[in-house]
Amino acid sequence: MPEGDSVWKLARRLDRQLLGRKVVRSDFRTPRLATRDLSGRTITEHATHGKHLLTRLDDGLTLHSHLLMDGAWSVTGPGKRLPARMMREVRLVLETDARTTAWGLRLHQLEIVRTRDEHRVVGHLGPDPLHDDWDPAEAVRRLLTDPARPLVAALLDQRLVAGLGNLWVNELAFLTGVSPWTPVGEVDLARLVDRAAQALHRSATVEGAYQVTTGSTARGETHWVSGRQRRPCLRCGTTVQMVEEVAGDPEQRRTWWCPTCQPGPVPTTRTQTRAGGRR
């Protein structure tokens, strides 16, 4: 699923494929924007803030898209198009003067704003570790506004820190050595946000390091706990545990942890997966 580093890498790929190109045809396949036309405008920048993509145009407009859990952008070359099975998921088509076509898939949030008004769509977000103006002290301040809040829930709140998704918050809890449900006020947040910024930056910019949290690219060893339920912890051998997400509750996502390496509170009401199955 898209996280801050995913969207940053997407923006760099779109730069290579679309930057400086003029839109010759646009087709919005969402009712609210169905009559809008971006043709004649040149793409000047792909900026990001957390999980939000901002495609800036030369006439002072910005196309804002949020990938949420399953959104994506794909670009095809001259004379090419997406497979027919994917066409029903297309929400936006942008054809360029280079005969390339950008396809926005499953874009649940899509809007056009003036570039000077981008704060309307991203102004509520917290500091972004991938921005040049990353402010770790501000991130710590925001995370401490509710010190009793569970660590993972706080890190997932994009209003506090932008760009950390479910994979990263689970891995950061492991690397910090605390249960995902530890009150955020009990954690060394200065050290945690520094580690988060370094990890996200490395994942986004270093070849072969994308979302590798263990330092190993061997199959099944790229993450400490995420996706490793019922498997031994890579550090101590204890079986990694997982609880399912709570539908409709963005703060209670699927969560993984090692009970030995991450002592502290555990959930009492959510479905828990252990070795041998659920209980």
Side-chain angles (χ1 to χ4, degrees), residues 35-93:
T35 61
R36 298 298 298 267
D37 184 7
L38 297 180
S39 59
R41 298 170 171 87
T42 298
I43 298 170
T44 61
E45 186 177 4
H46 292 97
T48 65
H49 194 129
K51 304 178 186 183
H52 296 249
L53 178 66
L54 302 165
T55 302
R56 293 171 179 157
L57 307 169
D58 65 343
D59 67 340
L61 291 182
T62 293
L63 175 67
H64 166 246
S65 56
H66 189 355
L67 306 188
L68 292 180
M69 297 288 287
D70 61 347
W73 280 90
S74 182
V75 178
T76 56
K80 304 292 184 179
R81 58 187 289 121
L82 295 179
R85 60 182 172 78
M86 300 177 66
M87 295 305 292
R88 62 184 179 85
E89 300 177 334
V90 173
R91 300 294 176 264
L92 171 62
V93 182

Side-chain angles (χ1 to χ4, degrees), residues 230 242 271-279:
R230 297 189 295 272
M242 183 267 285
T271 302
Q272 188 167 322
T273 299
R274 301 175 184 265
R278 296 178 180 171
R279 71 178 189 183

Side-chain angles (χ1 to χ4, degrees), residues 34-264:
T35 61
R36 298 298 298 267
D37 184 7
L38 297 180
S39 59
R41 298 170 171 87
T42 298
I43 298 170
T44 61
E45 186 177 4
H46 292 97
T48 65
H49 194 129
K51 304 178 186 183
H52 296 249
L53 178 66
L54 302 165
T55 302
R56 293 171 179 157
L57 307 169
D58 65 343
D59 67 340
L61 291 182
T62 293
L63 175 67
H64 166 246
S65 56
H66 189 355
L67 306 188
L68 292 180
M69 297 288 287
D70 61 347
W73 280 90
S74 182
V75 178
T76 56
K80 304 292 184 179
R81 58 187 289 121
L82 295 179
R85 60 182 172 78
M86 300 177 66
M87 295 305 292
R88 62 184 179 85
E89 300 177 334
V90 173
R91 300 294 176 264
L92 171 62
V93 182
L94 296 176
E95 293 184 14
T96 78
D97 57 356
R99 298 180 61 211
T100 54
T101 303
W103 311 81
L105 300 153
R106 301 176 299 277
L107 301 178
H108 307 281
Q109 294 181 17
L110 186 62
E111 52 198 316
I112 300 170
V113 298
R114 293 194 178 277
T115 301
R116 65 171 182 261
D117 294 331
E118 286 178 356
H119 63 274
R120 288 175 40 205
V121 292
V122 297
H124 64 289
L125 298 173
D128 183 338
L130 293 176
H131 276 198
D132 290 340
D133 63 355
W134 161 242
D135 186 346
E138 175 62 12
V140 170
R141 186 194 69 79
R142 292 187 181 214
L143 287 165
L144 285 175
T145 54
D146 183 358
R149 195 175 186 185
L151 174 63
V152 164
L155 292 176
L156 283 171
D157 190 334
Q158 301 298 294
R159 298 168 300 177
L160 308 182
V161 183
L164 296 176
N166 206 39
L167 182 148
W168 280 113
V169 301
N170 279 273
E171 296 297 287
L172 286 166
F174 177 88
L175 290 168
T176 304
V178 297
S179 157
W181 299 275
T182 301
V184 68
E186 297 180 10
V187 175
D188 182 347
L189 289 177
R191 183 180 181 188
L192 185 149
V193 299
D194 182 61
R195 172 176 278 157
Q198 291 185 43
L200 216 62
H201 190 269
R202 176 177 172 79
S203 176
T205 62
V206 175
E207 185 69 27
Y210 176 63
Q211 294 190 349
V212 175
T213 62
T214 61
S216 172
T217 58
R219 185 175 180 180
E221 295 183 3
T222 56
H223 304 145
W224 290 107
V225 288
S226 298
R228 292 186 54 83
Q229 64 270 21
R230 297 189 295 272
R231 301 181 67 186
C233 172
L234 292 171
R235 179 175 288 168
C236 74
T238 301
T239 300
V240 173
Q241 298 184 16
M242 183 267 285
V243 289
E244 295 286 358
E245 64 184 302
V246 175
D249 188 340
E251 292 201 2
Q252 298 196 60
R253 302 272 298 280
R254 181 173 292 183
T255 306
W256 297 267
W257 82 106
C258 170
T260 298
C261 294
Q262 298 174 258

